[in-house]
Amino acid sequence: MSKYQSFLALSMDEFITFRKASGRWNNVTYEANLYRFDRHCAEHYPEANVLTKEIVDSWCNKRETETSNSCRARISVIGTFVGYLRDRGLSDIKGPNLPKWQKCRYIPHVFTEKELANFFRACDEIVTKRRSLLVITRKMSIPVFFRLLYSSGLRTNEARLLRTDDVDLEQGILNIRFTKGYNQRFVVLHDSMLGIMKQYDTAIQVHHPNREYFFPVANVNGSHHNRKWVQDNFNELWFKYNTAPAIAYDLRHNYAIENINQWIGDPFDFHDKLLYLSKSMGHSKLESTKYYFHLVPALADILEKASGASFDDIVPEVDYATL
């Protein structure tokens, strides 16, 4: 039985099935906002049987309490849903105009060696006084999950949604299917990380022999962790020994910065290494990778000396929305 109540219930169920089948469904953001739109339609348009522009606009127009970014996040799934209906001849209206994305000036935390050592020590110190499946799974998964973020530069959602079938532990290659922009790519694991992943895989199989996701949810078959799981665990373990503010996504930023730092002082082809890093991180535009050059100390002088071009020539203004 559908959980949706409006005249769009059947179409919404079919839309979700289609998006999930194509690997393009976000249970957290998409499902919540589609559900709220359905409730809006059922409450304010109970007699409607055709989707109109008035109905769409009544939900999608920017509210006084919203920023452009929060409004965009709230209504983006509705625009996708309207497009789905149009493609199938079920509607002739246009989707909502998405507000322009506002650049975010968040500056990632730059980790010290001591902070990272503290954090991973906290990960390894997770206690298992209660021998429940939930506790055992967390003890096994957390140290590996965050080390994977640190060593590979994966986005947190890419690691959360990593399926067991997409982890090749013989070749040490990850097949990243569920990524920003849905651009599939392959990531090669560092040898030390590959060894950790193999040990984890052997151990976790004892408790989750037929798991679908590489980092399974205990007591919930065929499910993956949500963003709150990442955030809550990172905060708990980070602040056990550290005090400076940081977020899990900063591990991805750290990966980029550490790679760029390794270029300094070595003969290199700037554009080739930039391209390799960009592809490894799953950036659709080189400008997204160039963002990190602004965070590397003294890189401007080094690049100008090596190439004869100024930093601004090589590293133009960044489109923060693509990060």
Side-chain angles (χ1 to χ4, degrees):
M1 181 178 178
S2 176
K3 69 177 183 179
Y4 299 106
Q5 300 177 357
S6 73
F7 67 97
L8 294 168
L10 178 59
S11 294
M12 287 181 172
D13 285 330
E14 292 174 345
F15 168 67
I16 293 173
T17 299
F18 168 75
R19 295 289 291 188
K20 286 183 175 179
S22 57
R24 296 179 296 169
W25 181 252
N26 184 319
N27 279 328
V28 177
T29 304
Y30 282 9
E31 185 166 352
N33 286 309
L34 191 66
Y35 179 82
R36 294 187 183 106
F37 177 60
D38 172 75
R39 288 297 183 269
H40 173 82
C41 293
E43 179 180 351
H44 296 282
Y45 300 93
E47 304 300 327
N49 54 25
V50 176
L51 185 63
T52 65
K53 187 176 186 301
E54 176 191 350
I55 296 175
V56 172
D57 289 347
S58 68
W59 169 257
C60 294
N61 284 338
K62 186 173 178 294
R63 301 166 184 174
E64 292 183 1
T65 56
E66 289 181 319
T67 65
S68 293
N69 289 356
S70 61
C71 177
R72 185 185 179 96
R74 177 174 62 85
I75 70 175
S76 60
V77 66
I78 310 306
T80 305
F81 175 58
V82 173
Y84 168 87
L85 296 177
R86 284 176 56 87
D87 290 345
R88 286 153 183 78
L90 301 176
S91 177
D92 59 359
I93 66 171
K94 293 183 178 180
N97 292 322
L98 297 180
K100 185 177 180 181
W101 182 267
Q102 295 178 335
K103 293 181 179 180
C104 300
R105 296 293 178 174
Y106 170 73
I107 302 299
H109 176 70
V110 178
F111 296 107
T112 66
E113 291 185 8
K114 183 177 181 180
E115 286 176 332
L116 288 170
N118 284 341
F119 174 67
F120 288 115
R121 175 158 64 102
C123 290
D124 295 337
E125 290 176 348
I126 294 175
V127 296
T128 55
K129 292 182 180 179
R130 293 184 296 109
R131 298 297 294 177
S132 67
L133 182 60
L134 178 64
V135 172
I136 293 172
T137 302
R138 180 173 184 262
K139 170 69 174 177
M140 290 182 175
S141 299
I142 289 294
V144 181
F145 180 86
F146 286 116
R147 280 180 168 87
L148 178 60
L149 295 183
Y150 169 76
S151 66
S152 65
L154 293 183
R155 299 179 176 94
T156 55
N157 68 303
E158 293 170 348
R160 287 192 298 108
L161 301 176
L162 189 63
R163 294 179 183 271
T164 305
D165 291 343
D166 290 329
V167 179
D168 184 345
L169 293 178
E170 292 298 322
Q171 301 298 323
I173 297 175
L174 306 180
N175 182 8
I176 308 300
R177 299 178 185 271
F178 304 100
T179 184
K180 188 174 181 179
Y182 314 113
N183 295 317
Q184 182 179 1
R185 73 184 192 281
F186 297 94
V187 173
V188 179
L189 294 169
H190 188 277
D191 288 345
S192 60
M193 190 65 224
L194 176 58
I196 293 172
M197 298 272 277
K198 286 181 176 179
Q199 292 177 7
Y200 163 79
D201 185 63
T202 299
I204 202 71
Q205 280 190 47
V206 175
H207 303 281
H208 299 273
N210 299 309
R211 74 191 196 281
E212 179 179 354
Y213 290 93
F214 197 73
F215 298 103
V217 177
N219 303 323
V220 183
N221 293 329
S223 183
H224 56 75
H225 293 290
N226 57 31
R227 289 183 295 179
K228 188 176 184 299
W229 178 84
V230 178
Q231 177 183 330
D232 289 350
N233 280 288
F234 180 86
N235 288 343
E236 176 186 336
L237 298 168
W238 174 258
F239 288 111
K240 183 175 181 179
Y241 297 115
N242 298 310
T243 58
I247 60 175
Y249 209 87
D250 288 337
L251 293 170
R252 172 173 165 85
H253 298 315
N254 183 80
Y255 172 83
I257 294 170
E258 288 293 329
N259 272 274
I260 294 169
N261 275 327
Q262 292 178 14
W263 303 353
I264 298 175
D266 294 332
F268 65 87
D269 187 317
F270 175 82
H271 294 288
D272 284 350
K273 290 205 171 184
L274 172 62
L275 180 61
Y276 297 154
L277 180 60
S278 183
K279 294 298 184 183
S280 171
M281 297 187 70
H283 287 154
S284 58
K285 298 179 181 179
L286 286 178
E287 283 71 21
S288 301
T289 317
K290 291 176 183 177
Y291 158 77
Y292 295 105
F293 296 144
H294 294 272
L295 306 179
V296 178
L299 184 61
D301 294 338
I302 294 170
L303 287 178
E304 186 166 1
K305 182 177 179 181
S307 67
S310 71
F311 181 73
D312 289 335
D313 290 337
I314 298 174
V315 187
E317 186 66 25
V318 179
D319 181 359
Y320 287 82
T322 63
L323 293 178

mmCIF file of all heavy atoms in Angstrom, residues 91-109:
data_model
loop_
_atom_site.group_PDB
_atom_site.id
_atom_site.type_symbol
_atom_site.label_atom_id
_atom_site.label_comp_id
_atom_site.label_asym_id
_atom_site.label_seq_id
_atom_site.Cartn_x
_atom_site.Cartn_y
_atom_site.Cartn_z
ATOM 1 N N SER A 91 2.070 14.889 -18.067
ATOM 2 C CA SER A 91 1.924 16.290 -17.688
ATOM 3 C C SER A 91 2.530 17.153 -18.783
ATOM 4 O O SER A 91 3.438 16.723 -19.503
ATOM 5 C CB SER A 91 2.619 16.566 -16.348
ATOM 6 O OG SER A 91 2.532 17.937 -16.022
ATOM 7 N N ASP A 92 2.006 18.372 -18.911
ATOM 8 C CA ASP A 92 2.559 19.283 -19.920
ATOM 9 C C ASP A 92 3.064 20.572 -19.282
ATOM 10 O O ASP A 92 3.328 21.557 -19.977
ATOM 11 C CB ASP A 92 1.508 19.606 -20.989
ATOM 12 C CG ASP A 92 0.252 20.247 -20.388
ATOM 13 O OD1 ASP A 92 0.205 20.409 -19.147
ATOM 14 O OD2 ASP A 92 -0.667 20.576 -21.165
ATOM 15 N N ILE A 93 3.226 20.577 -17.964
ATOM 16 C CA ILE A 93 3.726 21.785 -17.309
ATOM 17 C C ILE A 93 5.239 21.698 -17.136
ATOM 18 O O ILE A 93 5.825 20.611 -17.196
ATOM 19 C CB ILE A 93 3.062 21.997 -15.932
ATOM 20 C CG1 ILE A 93 3.481 20.875 -14.953
ATOM 21 C CG2 ILE A 93 1.551 22.065 -16.053
ATOM 22 C CD1 ILE A 93 3.052 21.131 -13.529
ATOM 23 N N LYS A 94 5.843 22.838 -16.922
ATOM 24 C CA LYS A 94 7.272 22.886 -16.691
ATOM 25 C C LYS A 94 7.555 22.782 -15.200
ATOM 26 O O LYS A 94 6.744 23.183 -14.367
ATOM 27 C CB LYS A 94 7.865 24.189 -17.240
ATOM 28 C CG LYS A 94 7.800 24.304 -18.754
ATOM 29 C CD LYS A 94 8.468 25.584 -19.207
ATOM 30 C CE LYS A 94 8.445 25.692 -20.732
ATOM 31 N NZ LYS A 94 9.097 26.947 -21.196
ATOM 32 N N GLY A 95 8.721 22.248 -14.892
ATOM 33 C CA GLY A 95 9.112 22.150 -13.492
ATOM 34 C C GLY A 95 9.467 23.509 -12.921
ATOM 35 O O GLY A 95 9.553 24.504 -13.651
ATOM 36 N N PRO A 96 9.661 23.595 -11.626
ATOM 37 C CA PRO A 96 9.982 24.871 -10.988
ATOM 38 C C PRO A 96 11.365 25.369 -11.389
ATOM 39 O O PRO A 96 12.247 24.579 -11.718
ATOM 40 C CB PRO A 96 9.944 24.524 -9.495
ATOM 41 C CG PRO A 96 10.302 23.069 -9.454
ATOM 42 C CD PRO A 96 9.668 22.472 -10.676
ATOM 43 N N ASN A 97 11.524 26.675 -11.372
ATOM 44 C CA ASN A 97 12.845 27.264 -11.608
ATOM 45 C C ASN A 97 13.652 27.173 -10.316
ATOM 46 O O ASN A 97 13.258 27.722 -9.286
ATOM 47 C CB ASN A 97 12.712 28.722 -12.035
ATOM 48 C CG ASN A 97 12.072 28.871 -13.403
ATOM 49 O OD1 ASN A 97 12.325 28.069 -14.305
ATOM 50 N ND2 ASN A 97 11.223 29.870 -13.548
ATOM 51 N N LEU A 98 14.751 26.464 -10.374
ATOM 52 C CA LEU A 98 15.571 26.303 -9.184
ATOM 53 C C LEU A 98 16.332 27.587 -8.890
ATOM 54 O O LEU A 98 16.925 28.179 -9.800
ATOM 55 C CB LEU A 98 16.566 25.155 -9.363
ATOM 56 C CG LEU A 98 15.974 23.757 -9.555
ATOM 57 C CD1 LEU A 98 17.095 22.746 -9.723
ATOM 58 C CD2 LEU A 98 15.088 23.376 -8.389
ATOM 59 N N PRO A 99 16.329 28.039 -7.646
ATOM 60 C CA PRO A 99 17.123 29.228 -7.298
ATOM 61 C C PRO A 99 18.590 28.996 -7.606
ATOM 62 O O PRO A 99 19.079 27.858 -7.551
ATOM 63 C CB PRO A 99 16.891 29.379 -5.790
ATOM 64 C CG PRO A 99 15.641 28.618 -5.515
ATOM 65 C CD PRO A 99 15.606 27.492 -6.503
ATOM 66 N N LYS A 100 19.284 30.053 -7.930
ATOM 67 C CA LYS A 100 20.706 29.945 -8.233
ATOM 68 C C LYS A 100 21.463 29.528 -6.996
ATOM 69 O O LYS A 100 21.234 30.028 -5.892
ATOM 70 C CB LYS A 100 21.239 31.292 -8.736
ATOM 71 C CG LYS A 100 22.694 31.234 -9.202
ATOM 72 C CD LYS A 100 23.144 32.572 -9.750
ATOM 73 C CE LYS A 100 24.596 32.502 -10.222
ATOM 74 N NZ LYS A 100 25.049 33.817 -10.745
ATOM 75 N N TRP A 101 22.376 28.576 -7.187
ATOM 76 C CA TRP A 101 23.176 28.104 -6.063
ATOM 77 C C TRP A 101 24.102 29.208 -5.593
ATOM 78 O O TRP A 101 24.810 29.828 -6.387
ATOM 79 C CB TRP A 101 23.996 26.880 -6.470
ATOM 80 C CG TRP A 101 24.799 26.310 -5.342
ATOM 81 C CD1 TRP A 101 26.084 26.589 -5.011
ATOM 82 C CD2 TRP A 101 24.354 25.350 -4.383
ATOM 83 N NE1 TRP A 101 26.469 25.882 -3.912
ATOM 84 C CE2 TRP A 101 25.433 25.118 -3.500
ATOM 85 C CE3 TRP A 101 23.155 24.677 -4.188
ATOM 86 C CZ2 TRP A 101 25.346 24.223 -2.432
ATOM 87 C CZ3 TRP A 101 23.066 23.788 -3.121
ATOM 88 C CH2 TRP A 101 24.151 23.565 -2.264
ATOM 89 N N GLN A 102 24.108 29.464 -4.298
ATOM 90 C CA GLN A 102 24.977 30.483 -3.724
ATOM 91 C C GLN A 102 26.297 29.849 -3.305
ATOM 92 O O GLN A 102 26.318 28.788 -2.684
ATOM 93 C CB GLN A 102 24.303 31.135 -2.517
ATOM 94 C CG GLN A 102 23.051 31.925 -2.869
ATOM 95 C CD GLN A 102 22.384 32.526 -1.644
ATOM 96 O OE1 GLN A 102 22.538 32.025 -0.527
ATOM 97 N NE2 GLN A 102 21.640 33.588 -1.834
ATOM 98 N N LYS A 103 27.370 30.494 -3.663
ATOM 99 C CA LYS A 103 28.686 29.965 -3.336
ATOM 100 C C LYS A 103 28.861 29.855 -1.831
ATOM 101 O O LYS A 103 28.498 30.748 -1.080
ATOM 102 C CB LYS A 103 29.783 30.862 -3.906
ATOM 103 C CG LYS A 103 29.845 30.867 -5.430
ATOM 104 C CD LYS A 103 30.961 31.755 -5.922
ATOM 105 C CE LYS A 103 31.047 31.742 -7.447
ATOM 106 N NZ LYS A 103 32.140 32.615 -7.946
ATOM 107 N N CYS A 104 29.412 28.733 -1.415
ATOM 108 C CA CYS A 104 29.677 28.514 0.002
ATOM 109 C C CYS A 104 31.158 28.764 0.269
ATOM 110 O O CYS A 104 32.011 28.178 -0.401
ATOM 111 C CB CYS A 104 29.319 27.080 0.400
ATOM 112 S SG CYS A 104 27.581 26.671 0.133
ATOM 113 N N ARG A 105 31.438 29.597 1.217
ATOM 114 C CA ARG A 105 32.822 29.959 1.514
ATOM 115 C C ARG A 105 33.374 29.177 2.698
ATOM 116 O O ARG A 105 34.154 29.701 3.480
ATOM 117 C CB ARG A 105 32.895 31.467 1.795
ATOM 118 C CG ARG A 105 32.518 32.312 0.592
ATOM 119 C CD ARG A 105 33.530 32.193 -0.526
ATOM 120 N NE ARG A 105 33.147 32.972 -1.695
ATOM 121 C CZ ARG A 105 33.924 33.119 -2.765
ATOM 122 N NH1 ARG A 105 35.092 32.513 -2.817
ATOM 123 N NH2 ARG A 105 33.512 33.829 -3.795
ATOM 124 N N TYR A 106 32.961 27.943 2.818
ATOM 125 C CA TYR A 106 33.448 27.121 3.917
ATOM 126 C C TYR A 106 34.929 26.815 3.703
ATOM 127 O O TYR A 106 35.345 26.399 2.620
ATOM 128 C CB TYR A 106 32.661 25.815 3.991
ATOM 129 C CG TYR A 106 33.251 24.813 4.954
ATOM 130 C CD1 TYR A 106 33.141 25.002 6.324
ATOM 131 C CD2 TYR A 106 33.927 23.694 4.488
ATOM 132 C CE1 TYR A 106 33.691 24.092 7.217
ATOM 133 C CE2 TYR A 106 34.475 22.776 5.359
ATOM 134 C CZ TYR A 106 34.356 22.986 6.721
ATOM 135 O OH TYR A 106 34.902 22.084 7.594
ATOM 136 N N ILE A 107 35.723 27.029 4.725
ATOM 137 C CA ILE A 107 37.141 26.713 4.676
ATOM 138 C C ILE A 107 37.368 25.417 5.436
ATOM 139 O O ILE A 107 37.125 25.353 6.653
ATOM 140 C CB ILE A 107 37.998 27.841 5.291
ATOM 141 C CG1 ILE A 107 37.739 29.154 4.555
ATOM 142 C CG2 ILE A 107 39.479 27.461 5.237
ATOM 143 C CD1 ILE A 107 38.089 29.133 3.081
ATOM 144 N N PRO A 108 37.822 24.375 4.765
ATOM 145 C CA PRO A 108 38.008 23.087 5.444
ATOM 146 C C PRO A 108 39.034 23.185 6.571
ATOM 147 O O PRO A 108 39.963 23.989 6.524
ATOM 148 C CB PRO A 108 38.520 22.171 4.322
ATOM 149 C CG PRO A 108 38.124 22.848 3.050
ATOM 150 C CD PRO A 108 38.157 24.309 3.339
ATOM 151 N N HIS A 109 38.845 22.355 7.561
ATOM 152 C CA HIS A 109 39.826 22.271 8.640
ATOM 153 C C HIS A 109 41.091 21.595 8.113
ATOM 154 O O HIS A 109 41.016 20.562 7.438
ATOM 155 C CB HIS A 109 39.255 21.475 9.810
ATOM 156 C CG HIS A 109 40.232 21.270 10.923
ATOM 157 N ND1 HIS A 109 40.665 22.296 11.737
ATOM 158 C CD2 HIS A 109 40.884 20.151 11.360
ATOM 159 C CE1 HIS A 109 41.515 21.845 12.626
ATOM 160 N NE2 HIS A 109 41.674 20.534 12.421
#
